[in-house]
Amino acid sequence: MPLLVVAISVLVLLFLMTRLKLNGFAALLIVAVGVALVQGIPVAGIPDVLSEGIGGQIGDTMLTIGLGAMVGRVMGDSGAAQRIADRLLNAFGPRWVQLAMVITSMLIGVTMFYEVAFIIIVPIAFTLVRVTRVNLLWVGLPMSIALSTMHSFLPPHPGPTAVAATFHASVGHTLLYGLFIAIPAGTLIALVWPRLPFVRAMNPSVPKGLVTEREFTDEEMPGMGWSLFVALFPVVLIAGAAVTDMVTAGDNALLHAVAFIGSAPIALLLTLALAAWAFGPRIGRSMADVNASCVSAAQAMAMILLVIGAGGAFKNVLVEGGISDYIKDVTEGWPVSPIILAWLIAVILRVALGSATVAVVTASGVVLPLLAGSGTHPEMMVLAVSCGSIAFSHVNDPGFWLFKEYFNLSVLEAIKVRTTYTTVLALLGLGGVLAGEWVLDVLSL
């Protein structure tokens, strides 16, 4: 049974990493090869499947994570990250620093991918931890939860946008309804989860090389205007491109230029050049000093990228092994409400494959025939599939490894924190969708 294969593979991976202390990159590749053999993928084709998985995942994330880490290190070494962190502390106070991270993350995360927004904001979170001497998860976890919520629930993120097209739903209405669900659900979990006893018992350190250890005086730091301008520069470029794509139709050179500049790698490359020009003199007297900061960030990212790439290989083996097709065949014809069925199929696929995109696309295809005669609002179907795809993030999800490595957690700790919060978010999302469907039905009477 394919789902049993998934369960056993996860247990084997946990054994390799916790008992045998094997590093994540090697452990993931070993398990991926084993799953490929069990699922009947031809032996000669396994290296290609692994390479495609690694290439697809690294191709999507290496430029974003690498450039983002360099921007973060330049801002850290120049004092710009500390300037922003100090201003947040002054505005909200140490007591409300979590709320500051939630608000910042939600504003940025509405239009930005989880990984991109994570890389942009995490240097500020690291700096806040160093300045306030609080637990890393106390500050970093609200940031991650808020970003996860925005990315998974709302267009213009790729999953919800793709499902909206399948269901012929209004992207604008989906975003509007989704905000009423995502904001309260994300804020609740972001403020509650760091206070849970099993989370408070963890006290991870900030990974070496990703943030400066130096504390700056007020005179040594750049002004707030320049610090904020550089930090928000990629946000404006990426968000501007996303909004332009949503509200305009047609095909012309200007739209292509906006899309090019607003792509995450180009936006971050431009930001790195801007940061080097604006903050370089505060790091050292020559460009070599700026380069040294970038090299340090790249070295710290090497193992993180390898682990994320191996996670992509594991995910690709599961997809190529036909597990998504098996789940689709099993769930067709279930006598369940279309909203609950859409959510449940997305959850099952997410658990089995790790890929939220595959989960939402497959789930929407299964329940699409039920939508026409059900009277269900298509926007609510989009949200049901999207919030289901966030559930049970675990070792076959490359985002899980990004979270684990940046917050310096063990595999079991990451499962305790990330797998639980993503699952509760998915459940709250389902409750919000069912309530929203009821409200729309009442208003339409």
Side-chain angles (χ1 to χ4, degrees):
M1 183 177 179
L3 292 181
L4 181 61
V5 172
V6 175
I8 293 174
S9 68
V10 171
L11 292 176
V12 172
L13 183 62
L14 292 176
F15 175 78
L16 292 175
M17 295 188 66
T18 58
R19 293 289 186 181
L20 302 186
K21 305 300 181 183
L22 197 62
N23 72 75
F25 177 70
L28 281 163
L29 290 181
I30 290 172
V31 172
V33 171
V35 171
L37 292 171
V38 172
Q39 287 298 106
I41 296 176
V43 174
I46 292 177
D48 289 338
V49 173
L50 297 178
S51 297
E52 288 171 6
I54 293 174
Q57 191 62 48
I58 292 295
D60 291 340
T61 59
M62 184 179 70
L63 291 175
T64 298
I65 292 178
L67 290 168
M70 292 179 186
V71 171
R73 187 58 194 259
V74 169
M75 292 190 66
D77 286 350
S78 66
Q82 184 177 326
R83 174 68 75 185
I84 296 172
D86 288 349
R87 184 59 59 90
L88 285 174
L89 282 176
N90 291 336
F92 288 86
R95 182 179 179 184
W96 299 104
V97 66
Q98 291 177 316
L99 185 60
M101 294 306 299
V102 170
I103 293 173
T104 302
S105 301
M106 285 189 170
L107 289 173
I108 292 177
V110 167
T111 56
M112 298 185 71
F113 284 17
Y114 173 85
E115 292 86 356
V116 179
F118 188 102
I119 294 300
I120 290 174
I121 304 174
V122 78
I124 297 172
F126 286 163
T127 305
L128 281 169
V129 169
R130 180 173 54 77
V131 171
T132 60
R133 303 291 194 271
V134 297
N135 189 303
L136 174 56
L137 293 179
W138 187 256
V139 176
L141 191 51
M143 175 200 76
S144 181
I145 292 171
L147 292 178
S148 295
T149 308
M150 297 292 108
H151 178 86
S152 300
F153 282 28
L154 306 174
H157 296 293
T161 302
V163 179
T166 300
F167 291 150
H168 302 289
S170 165
V171 172
H173 287 166
T174 303
L175 176 59
L176 177 63
Y177 300 154
L179 286 171
F180 281 102
I181 300 171
I183 292 176
T187 302
L188 175 65
I189 299 303
L191 297 181
V192 168
W193 234 242
R195 291 171 166 78
L196 296 178
F198 71 89
V199 177
R200 292 180 70 97
M202 304 175 193
N203 190 25
S205 59
V206 175
K208 298 293 183 182
L210 293 180
V211 66
T212 182
E213 300 295 327
R214 178 184 173 188
E215 291 194 29
F216 296 84
T217 64
D218 190 70
E219 293 76 17
E220 291 173 326
M221 292 184 287
M224 182 62 184
W226 269 111
S227 300
L228 199 59
F229 178 76
V230 173
L232 294 179
F233 187 68
V235 178
V236 172
L237 294 181
I238 296 171
V243 172
T244 300
D245 182 63
M246 287 178 60
V247 302
T248 60
D251 187 17
N252 57 62
L254 179 60
L255 292 178
H256 286 304
V258 171
F260 171 72
I261 295 174
S263 64
I266 300 301
L268 287 168
L269 181 61
L270 293 173
T271 304
L272 179 60
L274 176 64
W277 174 78
F279 303 141
R282 294 182 178 273
I283 296 175
R285 295 186 177 182
S286 69
M287 186 55 66
D289 297 307
V290 178
N291 290 336
S293 291
C294 294
V295 169
S296 176
Q299 290 172 339
M301 290 303 304
M303 182 52 69
I304 294 177
L305 286 170
L306 285 175
V307 171
I308 292 172
F314 185 26
K315 176 190 72 177
N316 200 47
V317 164
L318 294 172
V319 174
E320 292 295 324
I323 291 176
S324 61
D325 294 333
Y326 169 81
I327 294 171
K328 181 178 179 180
D329 293 339
V330 168
T331 56
E332 280 184 333
W334 281 5
V336 182
S337 157
I339 285 179
I340 296 177
L341 181 62
W343 181 87
L344 186 59
I345 295 172
V347 170
I348 295 171
L349 286 162
R350 165 71 159 179
V351 173
L353 303 176
S355 172
T357 302
V358 174
V360 296
V361 171
T362 305
S364 61
V366 172
V367 299
L368 179 60
L370 302 178
L371 180 60
S374 67
T376 305
H377 293 83
E379 291 79 14
M380 289 302 167
M381 289 289 286
V382 174
L383 293 172
V385 173
S386 299
C387 68
S389 71
I390 193 178
F392 293 102
S393 170
H394 64 99
V395 295
N396 60 1
D397 173 19
F400 172 91
W401 297 101
L402 178 73
F403 177 89
K404 172 197 174 299
E405 296 296 325
Y406 260 90
F407 290 140
N408 221 0
L409 300 169
S410 69
V411 176
L412 290 178
E413 287 174 333
I415 288 174
K416 289 178 182 178
V417 178
R418 180 170 167 87
T419 306
T420 55
Y421 91 64
T422 54
T423 304
V424 174
L425 273 177
L427 290 168
L428 290 178
L430 175 61
V433 171
L434 292 172
E437 177 68 12
W438 178 81
V439 170
L440 291 177
D441 285 341
V442 171
L443 294 177
S444 63
L445 292 178

